[in-house]
Amino acid sequence: MNSGKWAVTHASSMLAEAILEQMAHAGIAAEDVILLDTEEHTGKRLSYTDTYIETQDHTEFDYEGLIAVLLLEKDAELEDLLQHADCFVISHYFDEQAEPVYTPYLAQNVIWTEPQPIKLATAELSSLLSILKPMQSDYEFKSIQLVNILSSVFYGKPAIDELASQTINLLSSQKPVSKVFPIQQAFNMQPVMTPVEMGLQLSALLGGEVSCSIQSLLVPAFYGMACSVFVECATDVQLNAFSARLQKIKGIKLSKDPVSPMSHCQQDATIYVAMTQESGQQANRIQLWLVADSSRNGLVENYISTIKVLSESKELRQK
């Protein structure tokens, strides 16, 4: 436990790239970072600060003696292997049985001292929480209704490859093949069943007093996400004051013009809020669009904040 080393699985993914960039900014030395991936990506040299780290096979690696493993993709085989590792296992994919955390606003009295799984809020919820959590100091939310617009990246590389293959087939007048998606995804869109538990998790992360409902729509995009957000507050809301408060949040940019993940969210971790407006004739209701990159968003901040909490834990340093 006292080695001070961090292992990152699926190191060739876009999410890993964004996290590693922030780990370097946080001052974590290259010798304390271990990059792991599937057999086909083993041996690749990935850039980290002013050096390179070679990826290792995550099924062959000895996980003992680490501080934590960042498990960046759902992997049943790897999860089973990590059950026997004496380290923290940090992940973010949805689990209806888990109680996820959003570490940037973690209660001060919550300190992890013994190796255990740490489940972070999903990419969708992390992006949303990066806006809603700081707004809670000024506004009392009664209910939140969301429609998540998801790209193929949320279903992993096989989904991205299938969308690309379907697109090529259709443009070549060939029949598209669907294995990952239940129906054709290219040039199409389909509603996705969102577990009720995800809305309950969001409510819990906001303090438990907010009614939350979530719907999801999968669109034929490779990367990125958007979210239609409908907020009902306990008291009347002035749109200008609400927008002014949004502008004060670090990493948030308001836009009066159309925005999209591919056009605006490719360069950094900025989350765009657009088309903020009053909802109908109700003075206590606001609606807006949130647009973010599916990797460089609140999820990365959640991972980095968790690493910092574990790094600064006196109890862990004494082990």
Side-chain angles (χ1 to χ4, degrees), residues 41-302:
H41 294 292
T42 299
K44 290 187 176 182
R45 298 174 72 239
L46 301 180
S47 174
Y48 187 83
T49 60
D50 57 352
T51 187
Y52 291 89
I53 304 175
E54 188 171 295
T55 59
Q56 303 178 51
D57 189 332
H58 64 202
T59 60
E60 300 294 331
F61 183 75
D62 181 2
Y63 288 91
E64 297 302 318
L66 299 170
I67 290 181
V69 177
L70 277 60
L71 182 59
L72 301 189
E73 292 187 14
K74 191 172 181 61
D75 189 317
E77 180 182 6
L78 193 50
E79 287 179 72
D80 184 62
L81 181 63
L82 290 172
Q83 287 182 1
H84 310 289
D86 183 31
C87 62
F88 292 91
V89 179
I90 310 170
S91 61
H92 69 278
Y93 45 83
F94 177 74
D95 182 346
E96 62 183 20
Q97 303 298 326
E99 295 183 6
V101 297
Y102 184 63
T103 316
Y105 285 82
L106 190 67
Q108 294 298 313
N109 62 342
V110 179
I111 300 295
W112 300 293
T113 59
E114 298 295 333
Q116 60 185 279
I118 298 177
K119 186 66 69 174
L120 305 181
T122 64
E124 309 99 290
L125 296 188
S126 291
S127 292
L128 186 66
L129 288 164
S130 65
I131 292 177
L132 295 182
K133 290 297 286 186
M135 294 290 284
Q136 275 191 302
S137 60
D138 297 284
Y139 296 93
E140 180 184 351
F141 301 133
K142 287 183 58 181
S143 68
I144 297 174
Q145 299 176 22
L146 311 173
V147 179
N148 288 325
I149 312 298
L150 307 177
S151 62
S152 295
V153 72
F154 283 87
Y155 294 82
K157 189 176 184 301
I160 295 173
D161 292 341
E162 181 165 295
L163 176 58
S165 175
Q166 288 184 354
T167 303
I168 293 171
N169 286 351
L170 287 167
L171 291 176
S172 303
S173 300
Q174 298 180 34
K175 184 178 180 180
V177 177
S178 296
K179 295 181 179 180
V180 177
F181 303 115
I183 59 176
Q184 172 191 319
Q185 180 59 18
F187 305 104
N188 201 4
M189 59 182 68
Q190 52 187 297
V192 178
M193 182 64 71
T194 306
V196 174
E197 288 80 7
M198 185 174 286
L200 297 176
Q201 289 179 0
L202 176 58
S203 177
L205 288 163
L206 290 172
E209 301 299 324
V210 185
S211 172
C212 300
S213 63
I214 305 175
Q215 293 181 302
S216 299
L217 181 68
L218 180 61
V219 297
F222 292 102
Y223 303 102
M225 61 164 287
C227 183
S228 172
V229 185
F230 178 97
V231 178
E232 181 183 15
C233 298
T235 58
D236 290 353
V237 179
Q238 296 294 323
L239 180 59
N240 289 340
F242 191 89
S243 298
R245 180 63 184 91
L246 282 170
Q247 288 182 310
K248 294 180 181 179
I249 302 174
K250 181 181 178 181
I252 304 300
K253 185 173 182 178
L254 264 64
S255 175
K256 295 182 180 180
D257 300 317
V259 294
S260 77
M262 297 302 293
S263 301
H264 298 81
C265 304
Q266 295 271 327
Q267 303 302 318
D268 53 38
T270 301
I271 295 176
Y272 285 81
V273 174
M275 300 182 182
T276 304
Q277 61 186 37
E278 297 174 344
S279 180
Q281 302 299 315
Q282 302 296 320
N284 66 332
R285 297 180 179 181
I286 296 289
Q287 60 189 57
L288 55 89
W289 276 96
L290 176 154
V291 177
D293 183 277
S294 43
S295 298
R296 301 181 183 91
N297 53 20
L299 181 59
V300 173
E301 182 185 10
N302 208 355

